[in-house]
Amino acid sequence: MRKKIIYILFFLVTFGFAQNPVVNSQVETSSIRIGEQFQFKISVNGTENVILPKMVLKGLEIIDSAKVDTINNMLIQKYILTGFDSGAFYIPQQQVFVRNQAYFTDSLLINVATVEIDTTKIKKYPIKSIKSEPYVFDDFKMYIYLLLAALAIIVFWIYYFVIRKRKVQEEKPLYKMLPPFEEAIYKLNELDSKLLWQNNHVKEYYSELTEIVRNYIERELQVPALEKTTDEIIEMLRDFQNANTINTSKETIKKLKELLQEADLVKFAKSKPMSIEIEEDRKDAQEIISNLKPKPIKKDELE
């Protein structure tokens, strides 16, 4: 008797669950034409702790989803679906969690049919010949741009290599080379006008002053004085004096040595001579230039 009661209770519980499944799915139609929309609905017995699935479909597309509804302690989710390819497509089982327990909906088959076209009712028209379109700017813009680019290159080439070159040649001043002595005196006067040492540029002043003297020696005696050290220049001039090839005195060579040494101290040892010493060095530079000349070559020596 006890076993019979248990069987009856088990049958009632099973029958109750079979009649009222926890989750359910249904569609309003199982056959549509391409592009037609239909409704797919998931129903859940219960509204607490329900997690609905994220729909993943193949061959069908979700157009829209309505807001979740609760009716008579049931949770309802509606989707609007459609299909754009003909064929039979399944809405697969959807997993729904209710109170942390998984339940599955039924899979549903949807048939998507093509739209039949009655070709007998289509009005036929004769084939028309190809009509040429009128020309517009876009048809020629590529050629116009290429032509303008080519013209720009030609104009630039003419200006840069012909007109500009000719203009530079015309504007380029032509200087007449002065004799060594006149050039040295001119540059000394030009140095005076710069007022370098008066404006605390003593190093620059001595650099230009000795360069003028060295350049004079190089041009007048035709030796590389700009490339030689102070000792080398003095030794060279003494050799010239001993060989009797220059007109100068030992005093002039001594002043040249002192001037070059003073300039070296200013440039490399940061020496700062007094104003009266700078003026004296300026006078010595002009005196050296005036008293240092090559000895004229006599006609009989040339013969």
Side-chain angles (χ1 to χ4, degrees):
M1 184 67 182
R2 186 177 178 181
K3 288 184 178 181
K4 289 182 179 180
I5 294 172
I6 293 173
Y7 289 150
I8 292 170
L9 290 174
F10 178 77
F11 175 77
L12 290 174
V13 171
T14 304
F15 180 77
F17 276 105
Q19 292 295 324
N20 297 296
V22 177
V23 295
N24 185 32
S25 62
Q26 62 183 37
V27 291
E28 60 183 359
T29 180
S30 61
S31 297
I32 63 170
R33 289 181 295 181
I34 289 177
E36 282 186 340
Q37 299 178 2
F38 65 97
Q39 187 183 88
F40 170 67
K41 181 172 67 175
I42 297 176
S43 303
V44 182
N45 284 328
T47 59
E48 296 181 0
N49 297 328
V50 177
I51 300 176
L52 293 172
K54 183 178 181 182
M55 294 278 289
V56 178
L57 303 175
K58 290 184 179 180
L60 300 173
E61 295 186 19
I62 300 173
I63 302 300
D64 194 9
S65 59
K67 188 177 180 181
V68 177
D69 261 342
T70 54
I71 303 172
N72 298 329
N73 200 34
M74 289 185 63
L75 188 143
I76 299 173
Q77 173 68 67
K78 296 178 181 179
Y79 301 91
I80 303 298
L81 309 180
T82 189
F84 295 105
D85 290 324
S86 62
F89 304 99
Y90 276 98
I91 300 175
Q93 288 182 319
Q94 304 298 314
Q95 188 177 39
V96 181
F97 286 91
V98 181
R99 298 184 184 91
N100 297 326
Q101 186 172 350
Y103 296 90
F104 289 89
T105 66
D106 295 330
S107 61
L108 303 173
L109 179 64
I110 304 297
N111 291 303
V112 182
T114 57
V115 179
E116 294 184 0
I117 300 175
D118 188 357
T119 57
T120 61
K121 295 182 179 180
I122 298 176
K123 189 176 180 181
K124 297 180 180 179
Y125 297 92
I127 299 175
K128 295 183 179 180
S129 59
I130 299 175
K131 185 178 180 181
S132 59
E133 294 184 358
Y135 290 111
V136 293
F137 174 75
D138 288 344
D139 295 329
F140 303 99
K141 66 179 181 181
M142 180 65 70
Y143 302 103
I144 294 174
Y145 292 154
L146 290 174
L147 179 61
L148 291 176
L151 289 175
I153 293 172
I154 293 171
V155 171
F156 173 79
W157 186 87
I158 293 173
Y159 171 77
Y160 190 84
F161 292 100
V162 180
I163 300 176
R164 182 175 175 273
K165 188 175 181 180
R166 186 183 301 168
K167 187 177 180 181
V168 169
Q169 289 177 348
E170 291 175 355
E171 293 179 354
K172 187 177 181 181
L174 300 175
Y175 295 102
K176 183 180 179 181
M177 182 70 73
L178 294 173
F181 177 77
E182 293 180 16
E183 180 188 35
I185 297 301
Y186 173 80
K187 287 185 175 180
L188 285 174
N189 294 331
E190 191 176 38
L191 177 62
D192 294 338
S193 66
K194 292 181 181 180
L195 302 176
L196 289 176
W197 68 267
Q198 292 90 335
N199 289 289
N200 259 347
H201 298 298
V202 179
K203 182 178 178 180
E204 289 85 346
Y205 177 80
Y206 272 91
S207 293
E208 291 196 29
L209 181 66
T210 54
E211 185 178 351
I212 293 170
V213 176
R214 284 169 174 268
N215 187 64
Y216 168 76
I217 295 172
E218 182 165 304
R219 289 195 59 201
E220 189 67 60
L221 303 182
Q222 297 182 1
V223 293
L226 292 171
E227 301 173 3
K228 293 184 177 293
T229 64
T230 298
D231 293 337
E232 289 174 342
I233 292 175
I234 299 303
E235 185 67 25
M236 178 183 63
L237 292 179
R238 284 172 179 168
D239 290 341
F240 287 164
Q241 188 181 38
N242 293 334
N244 199 25
T245 57
I246 58 174
N247 285 334
T248 190
S249 63
K250 292 183 178 180
E251 183 66 24
T252 299
I253 296 176
K254 180 183 176 182
K255 285 184 178 182
L256 174 62
K257 180 178 181 180
E258 292 173 351
L259 174 63
L260 295 177
Q261 288 177 341
E262 181 68 26
D264 290 340
L265 289 174
V266 172
K267 289 187 288 184
F268 305 114
K270 297 183 179 180
S271 174
K272 292 185 178 180
M274 299 176 63
S275 300
I276 189 169
E277 294 174 333
I278 297 174
E279 292 175 350
E280 189 65 30
D281 288 337
R282 164 65 177 81
K283 293 178 182 176
D284 288 345
Q286 185 163 345
E287 185 177 341
I288 291 166
I289 291 170
S290 300
N291 297 326
L292 181 59
K293 297 185 182 298
K295 186 176 180 181
I297 300 176
K298 298 179 180 178
K299 290 183 180 180
D300 55 350
E301 292 178 354
L302 292 173
E303 295 176 354

